[in-house]
Amino acid sequence: MSDFQRILVVSTQADAAEVARVRAGIGSSAVVLTAPTADGKRIVQGLGHTAHPETVLAPVRFPDVDRGHRLDEVVRRHAVADRFRDVVVVADPATITLLLRVLAPDQLPASGPVTEVGLPRGSRPVPLGRAAGAGVALALLVGLLSAAVPVWVLPTLAAVAGVVLLALPGRRWLGQSVLIAVAVSLGVSLLAIAGSARFPGAW
């Protein structure tokens, strides 16, 4: 199942309040592309991110016939580098119009200075190593707290949290990681019990 990577296209005519809303809605890992202009610098400073200047985003009086495709190529290059971060593009209105015609031909530009585009992407891969490590840590925690908390409480809470995360489109990978960690913790706990004096056929 696929979801979408957010591409936020921000006009250099955006005011401070609109820039602040974009800043509040993007992650700390967002990449910001901007034209090397004074207006672009003003928007980037409001976003509070380090910018990647791209000369192809600079306004031109007489655009080449392939300019839209070159704009699309630049944006997609930065997007594909990490499909799980937001990409913000800052440019003048005319450049934005050309970009959106190629990047999102089936989507009309938003009426305001900020347009959000979604590029299809696959699901985020599950970090199996981290999930297994978290499972071992959960098993150790259950063992340490077994005198005060029933052994089934923590794995059950973690499993419920994993199921809830599975229902969230952008957090499926995290839900899968949590459920794998629960399964690993149960396996480790069973091995620990089987090897202890509490198990009738202890090793």
Side-chain angles (χ1 to χ4, degrees):
M1 184 177 295
S2 63
D3 55 8
F4 295 91
Q5 178 181 18
R6 288 201 313 161
I7 310 292
L8 295 169
V9 185
V10 183
S11 170
T12 50
Q13 295 180 349
D15 60 28
E18 290 158 336
V19 172
R21 281 194 291 271
V22 173
R23 178 176 182 172
I26 60 177
S28 58
S29 63
V31 60
V32 179
L33 312 178
T34 183
T37 62
D39 287 334
K41 181 178 180 180
R42 175 183 63 84
I43 300 296
V44 169
Q45 288 175 337
L47 293 174
H49 280 64
T50 302
H52 296 267
E54 291 286 353
T55 55
V56 71
L57 292 172
V60 295
R61 188 177 299 273
F62 302 106
D64 298 331
V65 292
D66 66 336
R67 185 167 189 246
H69 294 286
R70 288 190 289 114
L71 292 168
D72 177 74
E73 188 276 329
V74 165
V75 173
R76 287 181 186 272
R77 172 161 40 86
H78 285 278
V80 170
D82 184 348
R83 292 183 180 272
F84 300 96
R85 66 181 176 185
D86 295 331
V87 177
V88 181
V89 182
V90 180
D92 64 284
T95 298
I96 287 174
T97 299
L98 281 176
L99 171 63
L100 292 177
R101 283 178 182 172
V102 182
L103 185 66
D106 56 343
Q107 178 177 327
L108 295 175
S111 57
V114 180
T115 300
E116 182 174 330
V117 176
L119 294 183
R121 67 182 176 194
S123 299
R124 184 189 287 267
V126 177
L128 297 178
R130 289 184 183 179
V136 174
L138 179 59
L140 293 175
L141 185 61
V142 168
L144 291 173
L145 299 178
S146 60
V149 180
V151 294
W152 54 268
V153 172
L154 290 180
T156 300
L157 292 176
V160 170
V163 171
V164 171
L165 289 169
L166 280 178
L168 303 177
R171 293 290 182 267
R172 291 190 188 96
W173 67 276
L174 187 55
Q176 292 170 339
S177 299
V178 172
L179 293 177
I180 290 172
V182 171
V184 170
S185 72
L186 292 176
V188 171
S189 298
L190 289 175
L191 287 174
I193 292 172
S196 71
R198 291 180 292 173
F199 194 73
W203 298 336

